[in-house]
Amino acid sequence: MYKFLEDRTRQFWLLHTLGWLGFAIVTYLNSLIQETRDAYLIVVALDSYIGWLITIPLRYTYQRVGQWTPWKMIITVLVLAFTVAAIWTAVRNFNYWEIYRHGARPDHWLKYVRETPFAFYVMLSWSGLYFGIKYYQTLQLEKQKSLTATNKAHEAQLKMLRYQLNPHFLFNTLNAISTLVLINEADTANKMVTRLSDFLRYSLYKDPINKVPLEQEVYAARLYLEIEKVRFSERLSVEFELEPDTESALVPSLILQPLIENAVKYAVASQINGGKIAITAKKFGHDLLLEVADNGPGMTITNGLPKSSDSGVGLVNTKERLSALYDNNFALVLTHNQPQGLKVNIRIPLELEKTEQAHA
């Protein structure tokens, strides 16, 4: 039953049918006051059925009209409602004269459309209910998307913490710090402890539900990569290329971390000579383009995503988060880097901080 109510198409047919059934019942009860004959029941049934049938095309027309500007939409709805009302009135009067009056004809053809104002009111009511219910459904859908985005963000945070706080990462980091202490590199060891503390604090306390400026994500990425650079030393090369003004662009919190972890794991740690990671941010029209590229061995790609199930940390989860936050207005694609390696490209709508927008 719940799935049935979630289906907007089924909702339309159910409410559409119940609405015209209700119209038929009210019309027939009103006719009893006027002491009409039983044949009028057939007229009422036909009128309601024709009304049910003739308003179906309005649904598909209104689906297109709903994307237009308000004034254009209102004028179009009024014209369509009046046109359908006139046709429905003519058919209703024809049924009345043919069935209830046994084929008699009115003395003037205008009598076939004389009740158009009443029918126009009915069609406007139908149109108002249609747009009202559609607006309500849209609000519910947005609310559901918001809840889904919240759940995905919490799930992403938990997955990120699971990978970041795994024994290997902590062991390698603490072992590097211990080594620095043993070789009397106390200052470097102290810096590493500070970076680890800052990185863990960002990971634990940054709310993944909210969008944050890209510069904050880059700050967290630098902390993580500086920690890893102690492990790999010269084997890890990092390059940041951020176009002007992209630092203030809003991005989902913790969105870059899984991609960078994948690059470290598959492009640097797996190669004897290490590898290079390049993080790029560009503006393209009304979109923000993010890219994490490496020169590792790469992997098999099918339809822009890894073919292997062991394709790295968080790619599937990252795509689910983006889908929940931006619906279909995003892209996450993997491509081969040249001359070798892998590139992860993300396209999301360009949003700036409110303070930045105020100065623009």
Side-chain angles (χ1 to χ4, degrees), residues 64-116:
R64 293 179 176 272
V65 171
Q67 307 298 324
W68 296 355
T69 58
W71 280 112
K72 187 177 180 182
M73 180 184 71
I74 291 173
I75 293 173
T76 304
V77 169
L78 290 174
V79 171
L80 288 173
F82 184 82
T83 302
V84 172
I87 296 173
W88 185 47
T89 301
V91 174
R92 289 177 63 220
N93 283 319
F94 178 82
N95 292 336
Y96 175 78
W97 289 96
E98 289 293 327
I99 298 174
Y100 194 74
R101 292 297 184 89
H102 303 291
R105 294 289 186 274
D107 54 5
H108 197 282
W109 66 270
L110 285 176
K111 290 187 176 181
Y112 278 110
V113 292
R114 65 181 179 181
E115 296 178 359
T116 298

Side-chain angles (χ1 to χ4, degrees), residues 152-153 156 208 252-255 317-325:
K152 291 296 182 183
S253 178
L254 313 175
I255 202 67
N317 182 267
T318 299
K319 187 173 184 179
E320 290 176 352
R321 281 192 66 200
L322 292 172
S323 177
L325 288 168

Side-chain angles (χ1 to χ4, degrees), residues 50-239:
I50 296 299
W52 180 92
L53 200 62
I54 204 172
T55 47
I56 291 176
L58 286 180
R59 179 202 180 199
Y60 300 101
T61 307
Y62 287 170
Q63 287 177 346
R64 293 179 176 272
V65 171
Q67 307 298 324
W68 296 355
T69 58
W71 280 112
K72 187 177 180 182
M73 180 184 71
I74 291 173
I75 293 173
T76 304
V77 169
L78 290 174
V79 171
L80 288 173
F82 184 82
T83 302
V84 172
I87 296 173
W88 185 47
T89 301
V91 174
R92 289 177 63 220
N93 283 319
F94 178 82
N95 292 336
Y96 175 78
W97 289 96
E98 289 293 327
I99 298 174
Y100 194 74
R101 292 297 184 89
H102 303 291
R105 294 289 186 274
D107 54 5
H108 197 282
W109 66 270
L110 285 176
K111 290 187 176 181
Y112 278 110
V113 292
R114 65 181 179 181
E115 296 178 359
T116 298
F118 168 76
F120 182 52
Y121 170 77
V122 174
M123 293 304 163
L124 281 182
S125 299
W126 187 95
S127 302
L129 286 171
Y130 173 83
F131 282 109
I133 293 172
K134 188 177 180 65
Y135 178 71
Y136 173 78
Q137 290 175 333
T138 301
L139 287 180
Q140 293 300 309
L141 182 61
E142 292 299 323
K143 183 178 179 181
Q144 183 179 0
K145 286 181 180 178
S146 177
L147 292 174
T148 301
T150 300
N151 293 334
K152 291 296 182 183
H154 281 302
E155 182 182 347
Q157 184 187 38
L158 293 175
K159 287 188 176 182
M160 176 184 171
L161 294 178
R162 184 185 70 182
Y163 288 118
Q164 289 177 346
L165 301 181
N166 63 67
H168 296 291
F169 171 70
L170 289 178
F171 173 79
N172 291 330
T173 304
L174 294 175
N175 184 59
I177 295 173
S178 177
T179 302
L180 291 172
V181 173
L182 290 175
I183 61 175
N184 295 322
E185 292 286 345
D187 291 340
T188 305
N190 184 60
K191 290 179 181 179
M192 288 303 303
V193 171
T194 302
R195 290 167 185 166
L196 177 61
S197 176
D198 291 341
F199 176 73
L200 294 179
R201 185 180 297 110
Y202 184 91
S203 302
L204 290 168
Y205 295 106
K206 182 60 64 177
D207 189 350
I209 301 173
N210 298 326
K211 296 175 183 176
V212 299
L214 179 61
E215 60 183 348
Q216 292 188 21
E217 288 297 291
V218 172
Y219 166 74
R222 290 184 186 276
L223 287 175
Y224 175 79
L225 289 169
E226 285 174 0
I227 294 171
E228 294 289 20
K229 199 168 180 63
V230 175
R231 289 177 52 201
F232 299 106
S233 187
E234 299 301 323
R235 292 174 58 203
L236 173 59
S237 175
V238 181
E239 179 181 306

